[in-house]
PDB file of all heavy atoms in Angstrom:
ATOM      1  N   ILE I 271      90.683 105.557  98.705  1.00 98.00           N
ATOM      2  CA  ILE I 271      91.191 104.549  99.677  1.00 98.00           C
ATOM      3  C   ILE I 271      90.676 104.840 101.026  1.00 98.00           C
ATOM      4  O   ILE I 271      90.820 105.956 101.557  1.00 98.00           O
ATOM      5  CB  ILE I 271      92.788 104.627  99.691  1.00 98.00           C
ATOM      6  CG1 ILE I 271      93.404 104.524  98.348  1.00 98.00           C
ATOM      7  CG2 ILE I 271      93.308 103.511 100.649  1.00 98.00           C
ATOM      8  CD1 ILE I 271      94.948 104.759  98.326  1.00 98.00           C
ATOM      9  N   ALA I 272      89.837 103.921 101.532  1.00 98.00           N
ATOM     10  CA  ALA I 272      89.269 104.074 102.892  1.00 98.00           C
ATOM     11  C   ALA I 272      90.270 103.753 103.907  1.00 98.00           C
ATOM     12  O   ALA I 272      90.701 102.595 104.031  1.00 98.00           O
ATOM     13  CB  ALA I 272      88.014 103.229 102.990  1.00 98.00           C
ATOM     14  N   SER I 274      91.355 102.698 107.238  1.00 97.00           N
ATOM     15  CA  SER I 274      90.592 102.024 108.320  1.00 97.00           C
ATOM     16  C   SER I 274      91.409 101.823 109.569  1.00 97.00           C
ATOM     17  O   SER I 274      91.008 101.100 110.497  1.00 97.00           O
ATOM     18  CB  SER I 274      90.037 100.701 107.796  1.00 97.00           C
ATOM     19  OG  SER I 274      91.062  99.935 107.183  1.00 97.00           O
ATOM     20  N   ILE I 282      84.393  98.017 109.562  1.00 95.00           N
ATOM     21  CA  ILE I 282      84.854  98.002 108.153  1.00 95.00           C
ATOM     22  C   ILE I 282      83.893  97.167 107.334  1.00 95.00           C
ATOM     23  O   ILE I 282      83.612  97.555 106.161  1.00 95.00           O
ATOM     24  CB  ILE I 282      86.244  97.349 108.145  1.00 95.00           C
ATOM     25  CG1 ILE I 282      87.253  98.150 108.899  1.00 95.00           C
ATOM     26  CG2 ILE I 282      86.733  97.114 106.693  1.00 95.00           C
ATOM     27  CD1 ILE I 282      88.611  97.563 109.146  1.00 95.00           C
ATOM     28  N   LEU I 285      81.149  98.856 105.197  1.00 95.00           N
ATOM     29  CA  LEU I 285      81.698  99.599 104.067  1.00 95.00           C
ATOM     30  C   LEU I 285      81.967  98.623 102.866  1.00 95.00           C
ATOM     31  O   LEU I 285      81.678  98.935 101.700  1.00 95.00           O
ATOM     32  CB  LEU I 285      83.066 100.269 104.354  1.00 95.00           C
ATOM     33  CG  LEU I 285      83.010 101.724 104.851  1.00 95.00           C
ATOM     34  CD1 LEU I 285      84.390 102.230 104.976  1.00 95.00           C
ATOM     35  CD2 LEU I 285      82.191 102.543 103.882  1.00 95.00           C
ATOM     36  N   ILE I 286      82.456  97.457 103.196  1.00 95.00           N
ATOM     37  CA  ILE I 286      82.717  96.441 102.190  1.00 95.00           C
ATOM     38  C   ILE I 286      81.392  96.080 101.532  1.00 95.00           C
ATOM     39  O   ILE I 286      81.207  95.920 100.320  1.00 95.00           O
ATOM     40  CB  ILE I 286      83.442  95.163 102.751  1.00 95.00           C
ATOM     41  CG1 ILE I 286      84.832  95.586 103.249  1.00 95.00           C
ATOM     42  CG2 ILE I 286      83.559  94.069 101.657  1.00 95.00           C
ATOM     43  CD1 ILE I 286      85.525  94.497 104.005  1.00 95.00           C
ATOM     44  N   GLN I 290      82.697  99.261  98.887  1.00 97.00           N
ATOM     45  CA  GLN I 290      84.065  99.813  98.927  1.00 97.00           C
ATOM     46  C   GLN I 290      85.054  98.651  99.063  1.00 97.00           C
ATOM     47  O   GLN I 290      84.894  97.749  99.938  1.00 97.00           O
ATOM     48  CB  GLN I 290      84.179 100.730 100.151  1.00 97.00           C
ATOM     49  CG  GLN I 290      85.628 101.269 100.349  1.00 97.00           C
ATOM     50  CD  GLN I 290      86.084 102.197  99.248  1.00 97.00           C
ATOM     51  OE1 GLN I 290      85.278 102.831  98.564  1.00 97.00           O
ATOM     52  NE2 GLN I 290      87.351 102.314  99.106  1.00 97.00           N
ATOM     53  N   HIS I 291      86.061  98.577  98.138  1.00 97.00           N
ATOM     54  CA  HIS I 291      86.932  97.487  98.140  1.00 97.00           C
ATOM     55  C   HIS I 291      88.398  97.912  98.336  1.00 97.00           C
ATOM     56  O   HIS I 291      89.254  97.042  98.561  1.00 97.00           O
ATOM     57  CB  HIS I 291      86.822  96.643  96.864  1.00 97.00           C
ATOM     58  CG  HIS I 291      85.578  95.778  96.907  1.00 97.00           C
ATOM     59  ND1 HIS I 291      84.427  96.211  96.348  1.00 97.00           N
ATOM     60  CD2 HIS I 291      85.351  94.604  97.446  1.00 97.00           C
ATOM     61  CE1 HIS I 291      83.477  95.244  96.565  1.00 97.00           C
ATOM     62  NE2 HIS I 291      84.061  94.282  97.279  1.00 97.00           N
ATOM     63  N   VAL I 292      88.710  99.215  98.328  1.00 98.00           N
ATOM     64  CA  VAL I 292      90.081  99.585  98.500  1.00 98.00           C
ATOM     65  C   VAL I 292      90.245 100.292  99.881  1.00 98.00           C
ATOM     66  O   VAL I 292      89.528 101.199 100.271  1.00 98.00           O
ATOM     67  CB  VAL I 292      90.423 100.675  97.422  1.00 98.00           C
ATOM     68  CG1 VAL I 292      91.916 100.988  97.455  1.00 98.00           C
ATOM     69  CG2 VAL I 292      90.027 100.169  95.974  1.00 98.00           C
ATOM     70  N   PHE I 293      91.131  99.697 100.648  1.00 98.00           N
ATOM     71  CA  PHE I 293      91.349 100.117 102.012  1.00 98.00           C
ATOM     72  C   PHE I 293      92.768 100.428 102.302  1.00 98.00           C
ATOM     73  O   PHE I 293      93.655  99.965 101.572  1.00 98.00           O
ATOM     74  CB  PHE I 293      90.820  99.060 102.975  1.00 98.00           C
ATOM     75  CG  PHE I 293      89.273  98.940 103.028  1.00 98.00           C
ATOM     76  CD1 PHE I 293      88.679  98.127 102.126  1.00 98.00           C
ATOM     77  CD2 PHE I 293      88.549  99.689 103.957  1.00 98.00           C
ATOM     78  CE1 PHE I 293      87.269  98.078 102.096  1.00 98.00           C
ATOM     79  CE2 PHE I 293      87.203  99.607 103.923  1.00 98.00           C
ATOM     80  CZ  PHE I 293      86.507  98.784 103.018  1.00 98.00           C
ATOM     81  N   GLY I 294      93.066 101.186 103.373  1.00 98.00           N
ATOM     82  CA  GLY I 294      94.426 101.534 103.646  1.00 98.00           C
ATOM     83  C   GLY I 294      94.629 101.439 105.161  1.00 98.00           C
ATOM     84  O   GLY I 294      93.727 101.739 105.948  1.00 98.00           O
ATOM     85  N   GLU I 295      95.840 100.927 105.562  1.00 98.00           N
ATOM     86  CA  GLU I 295      96.203 100.868 106.925  1.00 98.00           C
ATOM     87  C   GLU I 295      97.626 101.494 107.042  1.00 98.00           C
ATOM     88  O   GLU I 295      98.328 101.556 106.046  1.00 98.00           O
ATOM     89  CB  GLU I 295      96.331  99.402 107.395  1.00 98.00           C
ATOM     90  CG  GLU I 295      94.991  98.677 107.480  1.00 98.00           C
ATOM     91  CD  GLU I 295      94.189  99.015 108.730  1.00 98.00           C
ATOM     92  OE1 GLU I 295      94.746  99.535 109.694  1.00 98.00           O
ATOM     93  OE2 GLU I 295      92.994  98.753 108.720  1.00 98.00           O
ATOM     94  N   TRP I 305      93.212  92.017 108.612  1.00 98.00           N
ATOM     95  CA  TRP I 305      92.817  91.839 107.248  1.00 98.00           C
ATOM     96  C   TRP I 305      92.749  90.408 106.705  1.00 98.00           C
ATOM     97  O   TRP I 305      91.947  90.165 105.755  1.00 98.00           O
ATOM     98  CB  TRP I 305      93.589  92.794 106.279  1.00 98.00           C
ATOM     99  CG  TRP I 305      93.003  94.168 106.401  1.00 98.00           C
ATOM    100  CD1 TRP I 305      93.419  95.165 107.200  1.00 98.00           C
ATOM    101  CD2 TRP I 305      91.817  94.652 105.783  1.00 98.00           C
ATOM    102  NE1 TRP I 305      92.609  96.238 107.087  1.00 98.00           N
ATOM    103  CE2 TRP I 305      91.620  95.972 106.220  1.00 98.00           C
ATOM    104  CE3 TRP I 305      90.952  94.075 104.852  1.00 98.00           C
ATOM    105  CZ2 TRP I 305      90.528  96.721 105.771  1.00 98.00           C
ATOM    106  CZ3 TRP I 305      89.858  94.814 104.424  1.00 98.00           C
ATOM    107  CH2 TRP I 305      89.636  96.126 104.895  1.00 98.00           C
ATOM    108  N   ILE I 315      89.273  92.445  97.915  1.00 98.00           N
ATOM    109  CA  ILE I 315      89.871  93.559  98.629  1.00 98.00           C
ATOM    110  C   ILE I 315      91.221  93.953  98.072  1.00 98.00           C
ATOM    111  O   ILE I 315      92.046  93.171  97.710  1.00 98.00           O
ATOM    112  CB  ILE I 315      90.061  93.139 100.148  1.00 98.00           C
ATOM    113  CG1 ILE I 315      88.727  92.868 100.806  1.00 98.00           C
ATOM    114  CG2 ILE I 315      90.842  94.255 100.899  1.00 98.00           C
ATOM    115  CD1 ILE I 315      87.807  94.089 100.876  1.00 98.00           C
ATOM    116  N   ASP I 316      91.470  95.303  98.056  1.00 98.00           N
ATOM    117  CA  ASP I 316      92.729  95.885  97.527  1.00 98.00           C
ATOM    118  C   ASP I 316      93.299  96.641  98.766  1.00 98.00           C
ATOM    119  O   ASP I 316      92.677  97.662  99.135  1.00 98.00           O
ATOM    120  CB  ASP I 316      92.326  96.829  96.426  1.00 98.00           C
ATOM    121  CG  ASP I 316      93.539  97.174  95.586  1.00 98.00           C
ATOM    122  OD1 ASP I 316      94.587  96.506  95.640  1.00 98.00           O
ATOM    123  OD2 ASP I 316      93.437  98.247  94.844  1.00 98.00           O
ATOM    124  N   LEU I 317      94.376  96.131  99.389  1.00 98.00           N
ATOM    125  CA  LEU I 317      94.808  96.724 100.671  1.00 98.00           C
ATOM    126  C   LEU I 317      96.115  97.501 100.454  1.00 98.00           C
ATOM    127  O   LEU I 317      97.074  96.967  99.976  1.00 98.00           O
ATOM    128  CB  LEU I 317      95.029  95.578 101.719  1.00 98.00           C
ATOM    129  CG  LEU I 317      95.239  96.096 103.151  1.00 98.00           C
ATOM    130  CD1 LEU I 317      94.041  96.934 103.646  1.00 98.00           C
ATOM    131  CD2 LEU I 317      95.534  94.910 104.035  1.00 98.00           C
ATOM    132  N   HIS I 318      96.112  98.778 100.876  1.00 99.00           N
ATOM    133  CA  HIS I 318      97.254  99.664 100.727  1.00 99.00           C
ATOM    134  C   HIS I 318      97.889 100.003 102.026  1.00 99.00           C
ATOM    135  O   HIS I 318      97.214 100.244 103.007  1.00 99.00           O
ATOM    136  CB  HIS I 318      96.762 101.007 100.039  1.00 99.00           C
ATOM    137  CG  HIS I 318      96.286 100.814  98.627  1.00 99.00           C
ATOM    138  ND1 HIS I 318      96.629 101.691  97.603  1.00 99.00           N
ATOM    139  CD2 HIS I 318      95.356  99.919  98.108  1.00 99.00           C
ATOM    140  CE1 HIS I 318      95.970 101.321  96.510  1.00 99.00           C
ATOM    141  NE2 HIS I 318      95.247 100.259  96.751  1.00 99.00           N
ATOM    142  N   PHE I 455      84.890 107.247 108.647  1.00 92.00           N
ATOM    143  CA  PHE I 455      84.733 106.402 109.826  1.00 92.00           C
ATOM    144  C   PHE I 455      84.386 107.211 111.107  1.00 92.00           C
ATOM    145  O   PHE I 455      84.049 106.687 112.137  1.00 92.00           O
ATOM    146  CB  PHE I 455      85.952 105.648 110.150  1.00 92.00           C
ATOM    147  CG  PHE I 455      86.187 104.467 109.186  1.00 92.00           C
ATOM    148  CD1 PHE I 455      87.143 104.649 108.169  1.00 92.00           C
ATOM    149  CD2 PHE I 455      85.529 103.287 109.351  1.00 92.00           C
ATOM    150  CE1 PHE I 455      87.368 103.604 107.220  1.00 92.00           C
ATOM    151  CE2 PHE I 455      85.793 102.250 108.470  1.00 92.00           C
ATOM    152  CZ  PHE I 455      86.649 102.408 107.426  1.00 92.00           C
TER     153      PHE I 455
END
Side-chain angles (χ1 to χ4, degrees):
I271 307 173
S274 50
I282 299 171
L285 268 188
I286 298 174
Q290 176 67 23
H291 285 94
V292 188
F293 288 86
E295 292 281 344
W305 282 96
I315 298 296
D316 195 20
L317 190 62
H318 294 226
F455 287 99

